[in-house]
């Protein structure tokens, strides 16, 4: 089919796209469709206030491209549909010092490769043009996941997929074709505040946002230089899972079926002392293709020196 032709798809085509996204070839645990439009004024204002309050810390990239964050059509001329997909990284096996999402291959690469298959399917069967987005594009991922019915945002700010929990990463395909939109997810967080109580540093604010300046995920991965005075890392060297694991929606999450997200054995073997004295050669070898390359070796050494064998709240 000509790439310039956009099929105004019917319900049967939409369901075929969804089933392909949920198949083993793509591997999503949830898939939904939303019509491209500007984000709501309330959501835009909420994000603007968060940035103005300084809660993005040194992540200044979150301040840029406000117009694109507001209107995803600026990411792909003529975009009419956002296809939102969630991919699970849930597992039974954990590392005492490293966040679950970072134990396998870099999810940016894994999800992009899988969504490129979905985008190719769309172009071949439905025509039009596509653009795959995985985290790095200025797209309001959780907002669109809610709009497309994939899940709802928890008090811990994770996207929670009903029946599958919050151990997932998101990715999107923008498409110039028209897809029947799913109903937005109307479920809400139960408000049990288990995640708030579990947060080691009180980074979850009363307005439902996260203050990155005190979040251990930010401090151990994104923050450069010395840690702020008084920072207690506890066991956390690369990321923090406390607020996610505390969510009761994650209790019975089925382990991921994505092989690339399986833990790297050499990474799992690293204890705190090994991380503190990790050589440049071992770092390059063990962390090749891992999202924690963003942490940098200096950051891993710094964090391991400040970490302990006990959680902050023990």
């Amino acid at each position: 089919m000509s790439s310039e032709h956009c099929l105004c798809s019917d319900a049967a085509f939409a369901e075929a796209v969804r089933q392909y996204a949920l198949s083993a070839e793509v591997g999503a645990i949830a898939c939904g469709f939303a019509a491209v439009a500007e984000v709501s004024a309330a959501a835009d204002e909420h994000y603007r206030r968060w940035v103005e309050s300084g809660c993005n810390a040194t992540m200044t990239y979150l301040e840029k491209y406000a117009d694109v964050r507001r209107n995803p059509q600026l990411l792909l001329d003529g975009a009419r549909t956002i296809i939102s997909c969630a991919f699970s990284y849930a597992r039974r096996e954990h590392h005492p010092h490293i966040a679950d999402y970072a134990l396998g291959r870099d999810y940016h690469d894994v999800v992009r490769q899988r969504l490129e298959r979905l985008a190719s399917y769309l172009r071949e069967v439905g025509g039009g043009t596509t653009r795959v987005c995985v985290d790095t594009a200025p797209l309001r991922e959780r907002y669109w996941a809610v709009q497309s019915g994939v899940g709802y945002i928890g008090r811990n700010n994770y996207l929670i997929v009903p029946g599958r929990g919050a151990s997932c990463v998101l990715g999107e395909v923008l498409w110039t074709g028209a897809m029947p939109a799913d109903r937005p997810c109307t479920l809400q967080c139960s408000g049990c505040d288990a995640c708030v109580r579990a947060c080691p540093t009180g980074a979850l604010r009363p307005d439902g946002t996260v203050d990155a300046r005190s979040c251990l995920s930010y401090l151990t991965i994104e923050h450069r230089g010395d840690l702020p005075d008084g920072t207690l890392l506890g066991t956390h060297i690369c990321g923090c899972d406390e607020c996610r694991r505390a969510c009761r929606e994650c209790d019975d999450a089925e382990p991921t079926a994505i092989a690339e997200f399986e833990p790297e054995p050499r990474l799992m073997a690293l204890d705190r002392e090994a991380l503190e004295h990790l050589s440049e050669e071992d770092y390059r070898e063990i962390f090749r293709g891992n999202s924690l390359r963003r942490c940098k070796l200096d950051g891993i050494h710094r964090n391991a020196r400040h970490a302990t064998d006990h959680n902050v709240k023990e």
Side-chain angles (χ1 to χ4, degrees):
M1 178 173 289
S2 170
S3 63
E4 295 181 358
H5 176 70
C6 293
L7 176 66
C8 291
S9 59
D10 58 16
F13 176 74
E15 189 57 27
V17 172
R18 193 192 316 276
Q19 290 307 312
Y20 183 67
L22 298 176
S23 72
E25 190 166 353
V26 177
I29 59 169
C31 173
F33 315 123
V36 171
E38 291 194 3
V39 303
S40 70
D44 187 51
E45 176 68 10
H46 191 62
Y47 184 83
R48 185 183 64 78
R49 288 180 179 272
W50 179 76
V51 169
E52 289 180 349
S53 69
C55 286
N56 59 319
T58 62
M59 295 181 288
T60 56
Y61 58 86
L62 294 175
E63 304 169 15
K64 300 177 180 178
Y65 307 110
D67 55 340
V68 182
R69 294 182 196 280
R70 188 179 306 114
N71 182 6
Q73 193 172 67
L74 297 176
L75 287 166
L76 176 65
D77 187 37
R80 301 167 70 186
T81 302
I82 293 179
I83 303 167
S84 182
C85 295
F87 297 82
S88 172
Y89 60 83
R91 57 176 52 86
R92 300 281 185 256
E93 185 181 13
H94 308 290
H95 192 287
H97 305 296
I98 299 174
D100 286 350
Y101 81 89
L103 296 177
R105 279 189 52 202
D106 189 338
Y107 72 90
H108 297 89
D109 298 333
V110 174
V111 171
R112 179 172 294 281
Q113 290 171 4
R114 289 169 174 267
L115 286 183
E116 288 291 357
R117 299 170 192 167
L118 180 61
S120 178
Y121 177 85
L122 277 166
R123 294 192 303 271
E124 291 173 6
V125 179
T129 57
T130 58
R131 175 170 176 174
V132 170
C133 299
V134 184
D135 192 21
T136 53
L139 184 72
R140 300 284 298 274
E141 288 193 306
R142 286 169 296 170
Y143 173 88
W144 289 110
V146 173
Q147 294 303 304
S148 63
V150 167
Y152 61 97
I153 299 173
R155 180 67 177 82
N156 54 13
N157 269 245
Y158 279 83
L159 192 285
I160 298 173
V161 178
R164 298 302 298 263
S167 301
C168 59
V169 290
L170 300 173
E172 301 77 31
V173 179
L174 292 169
W175 184 44
T176 54
M179 190 83 75
D182 289 310
R183 294 179 182 272
C185 183
T186 58
L187 296 175
Q188 294 184 342
C189 181
S190 67
C192 70
D193 281 351
C195 57
V196 176
R197 294 190 297 273
C199 179
T201 62
L204 298 177
R205 304 202 310 167
D207 66 353
T209 61
V210 177
D211 189 340
R213 293 168 295 191
S214 57
C215 174
L216 294 186
S217 285
Y218 163 77
L219 289 170
T220 57
I221 295 175
E222 299 282 348
H223 182 76
R224 302 292 179 250
D226 294 336
L227 293 169
D229 291 342
T231 298
L232 299 176
L233 295 184
T235 61
H236 307 96
I237 295 177
C238 298
C240 176
D241 282 330
E242 299 298 338
C243 68
R244 179 180 58 81
R245 289 187 189 173
C247 179
R248 63 190 182 191
E249 295 292 339
C250 295
D251 288 347
D252 300 315
E254 182 180 340
T256 181
I258 296 177
E260 298 97 319
F261 286 162
E262 287 300 312
E264 161 60 48
R266 293 172 300 176
L267 192 62
M268 294 297 290
L270 296 173
D271 58 17
R272 181 166 60 88
E273 183 176 357
L275 286 165
E276 182 178 353
H277 299 98
L278 190 67
S279 69
E280 179 72 32
E281 181 180 359
D282 286 343
Y283 168 72
R284 291 181 181 276
E285 180 64 25
I286 296 174
F287 285 82
R288 180 183 294 122
N290 184 283
S291 59
L292 288 180
R293 290 299 295 267
R294 185 170 182 82
C295 191
K296 310 297 185 185
L297 181 58
D298 287 346
I300 293 174
H301 287 164
R302 176 201 64 191
N303 299 340
R305 289 194 301 270
H306 284 81
T308 67
D309 292 324
H310 304 282
N311 285 325
V312 174
K313 290 195 172 183
E314 286 184 358

